[in-house]
């Protein structure tokens, strides 16, 4: 598995370019949106928080039907449509002035983002050989961090200006980023819609797949790490050493830089379900160690020692994050039926929305109110989840032994396989069949 900076030319590099364009927009949006709506529009922080919680709760369930739409209508067209829709929603922030308008817009944003993520994963499943997917997703994670960093830098310029015009320019740049992302995705080969199996399986089969649901739940527990550096650590530092306020953003930059530089290398040993489960187990151990060191920073230690402990803890966290990411990517694809990649990826990706919705409330209460015992409890949860992934994956393997065995045999033989049910070719332009109307009616981050 290559550790070079860019993915191979062709479809993989095109997907990465689209990811970069949308990530730059997201970085500017995440940096500026909260301050714009609270300081410029005058919305209360409580209303803002309620709107975001509702939006990501909706987004957490939207990924499955929109992923199913990508399976049945073709992932390229669906991804392009959702990228353009996201850009249009962000453009609406230029004129939104009321809470109801903001609530509608942010719900549409979260829905489109969740669907776009599922459709993009289905594109990876349809265009990239099975043994190359985890490497590509590692490249995409590095690209995502690079884009977010560039977007955050743009947001920093906006924040330094502080004017309404500067904020609106940031939203316009975000909308343009998603427009460019959609246009770049159009350069990809079309992936023919997956053909439904002849047996009477439900349209949203993932909702009745209990082993996959357990795997997703275990991964969601590990994703509770997401709000740590962006929310909890700055508040933790502010409560204990205000003059170390600069360290919070510095640790965020450290995390971004390490992922950009080493995520591909961290994914190099993940080639199948066994190695993926080991990576997630190791991630649980590393995240526990990180929480223990964070807990030590709650003690009566000199300022320099506290800073050193926070740097060590953040370093352990990012190493665990990279291992958990690599393992979860492999698991989410290898356990998903090839003809239902979109809906399965949409379901697996709902863990991100859940972590964004519940994580801030849970972690601020657990860590800021409980202190060191809260850190140790969180570390124990991470450890338990890391060790639970292996048994959960084996249960899911037993649920679909024939299909998983086919994946394992292809991996052992070194044969490229994108799944027999999905082929590259032109997407149909005809009107949807009557049987597909319910999925279309149902149809970010």
């Amino acid at each position: 598995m290559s550790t070079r900076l860019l993915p191979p030319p062709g479809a993989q590099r095109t997907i990465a370019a689209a990811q970069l364009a949308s990530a730059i927009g997201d970085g500017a949006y995440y940096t500026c949106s909260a301050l714009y709506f609270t300081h410029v529009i005058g919305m209360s922080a409580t209303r803002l928080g309620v709107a975001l919680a509702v939006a990501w709760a909706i987004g957490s369930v939207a990924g499955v039907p929109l992923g199913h739409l990508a399976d049945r209508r073709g992932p390229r067209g669906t991804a392009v449509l959702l990228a353009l829709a996201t850009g249009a929603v962000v453009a609406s922030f230029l004129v939104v002035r009321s809470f109801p308008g903001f609530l509608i817009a942010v719900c549409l944003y979260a829905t489109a983002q969740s669907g776009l993520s599922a459709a993009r994963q289905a594109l990876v499943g349809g265009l990239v050989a099975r043994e190359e997917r985890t490497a590509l997703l590692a490249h995409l994670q590095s690209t995502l961090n690079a884009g977010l960093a560039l977007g955050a830098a743009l947001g920093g310029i906006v924040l330094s200006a502080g004017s309404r015009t500067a904020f609106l320019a940031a939203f316009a740049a975000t909308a343009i980023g998603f427009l460019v992302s959609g246009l770049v995705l159009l350069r990809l080969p079309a992936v023919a819609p997956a053909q439904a199996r002849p047996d009477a399986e439900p349209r949203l089969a993932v909702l009745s797949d209990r082993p996959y649901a357990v795997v997703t739940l275990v991964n969601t527990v590990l994703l509770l790490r997401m709000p740590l550096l962006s929310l909890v650590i700055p508040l933790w530092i502010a409560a204990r050493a205000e003059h170390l306020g600069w360290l919070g953003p510095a640790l965020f930059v450290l995390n971004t830089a390490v992922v950009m530089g080493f995520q591909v290398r961290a994914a190099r040993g993940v080639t199948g379900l066994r190695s993926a489960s080991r990576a997630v187990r190791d991630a649980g151990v590393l995240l526990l160690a990180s929480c223990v060191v964070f807990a030590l920073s709650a003690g009566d230690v000199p300022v320099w020692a506290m800073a050193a402990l926070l740097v060590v803890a953040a370093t352990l966290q990012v190493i665990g994050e990279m291992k958990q990411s690599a393992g979860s990517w492999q698991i989410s694809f290898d356990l998903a039926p090839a003809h239902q990649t979109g809906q399965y990826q949409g379901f697996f990706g709902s863990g991100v929305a859940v972590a964004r919705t519940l994580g801030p409330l849970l972690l601020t209460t657990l860590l800021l109110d409980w202190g060191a015992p809260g850190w140790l409890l969180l570390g124990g949860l991470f450890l338990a989840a890391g060790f639970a992934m292996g048994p959960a994956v084996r249960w899911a393997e037993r649920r679909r032994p024939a299909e998983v065995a086919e994946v394992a045999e292809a991996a052992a033989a070194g044969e490229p396989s994108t799944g027999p049910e999905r082929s590259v070719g032109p997407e149909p332009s005809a009107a949807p069949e009557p049987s597909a109307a319910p999925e279309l009616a149902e149809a970010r981050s």
Side-chain angles (χ1 to χ4, degrees):
M1 183 176 295
S2 173
T3 58
R4 59 187 175 185
L5 183 61
L6 296 175
Q12 295 193 37
R13 194 166 293 181
T14 301
I15 295 173
Q19 175 88 311
L20 178 64
S22 61
I24 292 174
D26 268 338
Y29 170 77
Y30 291 142
T31 304
C32 300
S33 58
L35 288 178
Y36 172 74
F37 284 102
T38 54
H39 287 63
V40 178
I41 299 301
M43 188 181 304
S44 70
T46 300
R47 281 192 159 195
L48 178 70
V50 168
L52 292 176
V54 170
W56 286 112
I58 293 174
S60 68
V61 300
V64 174
L66 290 177
H68 180 64
L69 179 67
D71 289 332
R72 291 292 168 261
R73 292 288 169 253
R76 188 190 68 169
T78 305
V80 170
L81 177 63
L82 289 170
L84 298 179
T86 306
V89 171
V90 175
S92 74
F93 290 142
L94 298 174
V95 296
V96 167
R97 297 289 183 272
S98 65
F99 177 74
F102 173 74
L103 178 61
I104 293 171
V106 78
C107 286
L108 291 174
Y109 175 82
T111 298
Q113 282 280 60
S114 297
L116 176 58
S117 176
R120 194 159 41 203
Q121 296 289 80
L123 264 175
V124 171
L127 293 175
V128 180
R130 195 183 300 276
E131 68 276 6
E132 297 176 0
R133 290 173 190 166
T134 297
L136 172 60
L137 291 169
H139 280 294
L140 293 181
Q141 185 73 1
S142 298
T143 302
L144 173 66
N145 278 263
L148 290 175
L150 291 173
L154 174 62
I157 297 173
V158 170
L159 294 178
S160 64
S163 66
R164 177 191 292 268
T165 301
F167 279 106
L168 295 181
F171 289 140
T174 300
I176 292 172
F178 281 101
L179 171 62
V180 171
S181 178
L183 295 177
V184 170
L185 289 173
L186 276 176
R187 298 176 54 195
L188 291 168
V191 178
Q195 298 301 312
R197 291 272 176 93
D199 51 2
E201 63 183 4
R203 286 177 177 172
L204 301 181
V206 68
L207 299 181
S208 58
D209 191 336
R210 287 181 295 173
Y212 199 85
V214 171
V215 169
T216 301
L217 176 62
V218 170
N219 190 64
T220 301
V221 173
L222 292 165
L223 288 175
L224 289 175
R225 60 171 172 74
M226 293 178 61
L228 287 177
L229 285 179
S230 60
L231 175 66
V232 175
I233 299 307
L235 295 175
W236 179 262
I237 293 173
R240 284 161 176 78
E242 291 185 2
H243 44 290
L244 285 180
W246 56 270
L247 187 56
L251 294 178
F252 191 89
V253 171
L254 171 67
N255 180 280
T256 301
V258 170
V259 172
M260 287 171 56
F262 297 99
Q263 179 66 77
V264 177
R265 185 179 297 275
R268 184 169 52 186
V270 178
T271 57
L273 289 173
R274 294 292 176 270
S275 54
S277 297
R278 286 195 299 271
V280 174
R281 181 194 62 201
D282 293 345
V285 174
L286 286 163
L287 291 173
L288 168 64
S290 171
C291 288
V292 170
V293 179
F294 274 127
L296 292 176
S297 71
D300 186 14
V301 296
V303 172
W304 65 266
M306 180 179 182
L309 288 170
L310 291 174
V311 171
V312 171
T315 302
L316 290 169
Q317 179 190 332
V318 71
I319 297 172
E321 171 187 333
M322 292 188 295
K323 283 186 169 292
Q324 182 259 328
S325 295
S328 66
W329 296 330
Q330 186 81 34
I331 289 167
S332 69
F333 270 107
D334 281 3
L335 293 179
H339 67 297
Q340 295 172 327
T341 301
Q343 65 168 278
Y344 269 73
Q345 290 300 314
F347 186 82
F348 196 81
S350 67
V352 175
V354 171
R356 283 175 169 173
T357 304
L358 300 181
L361 176 61
L362 174 63
L363 295 185
T364 51
T365 301
L366 181 66
L367 303 178
L368 300 183
D369 293 348
W370 291 18
W375 280 110
L376 297 178
L377 178 57
L378 179 63
L381 286 175
F382 286 146
L383 182 68
F387 274 84
M389 184 61 85
V393 167
R394 290 192 292 273
W395 182 28
E397 283 185 279
R398 292 193 296 271
R399 171 79 175 240
R400 286 186 297 277
E403 186 163 354
V404 174
E406 179 186 341
V407 172
E409 290 174 7
E415 299 173 356
S417 172
T418 59
E421 295 85 357
R422 187 181 292 276
S423 59
V424 177
E427 294 182 81
S429 57
E433 297 177 5
S435 62
E439 294 97 278
L440 291 176
E442 289 178 284
R444 220 132 121 168
S445 144

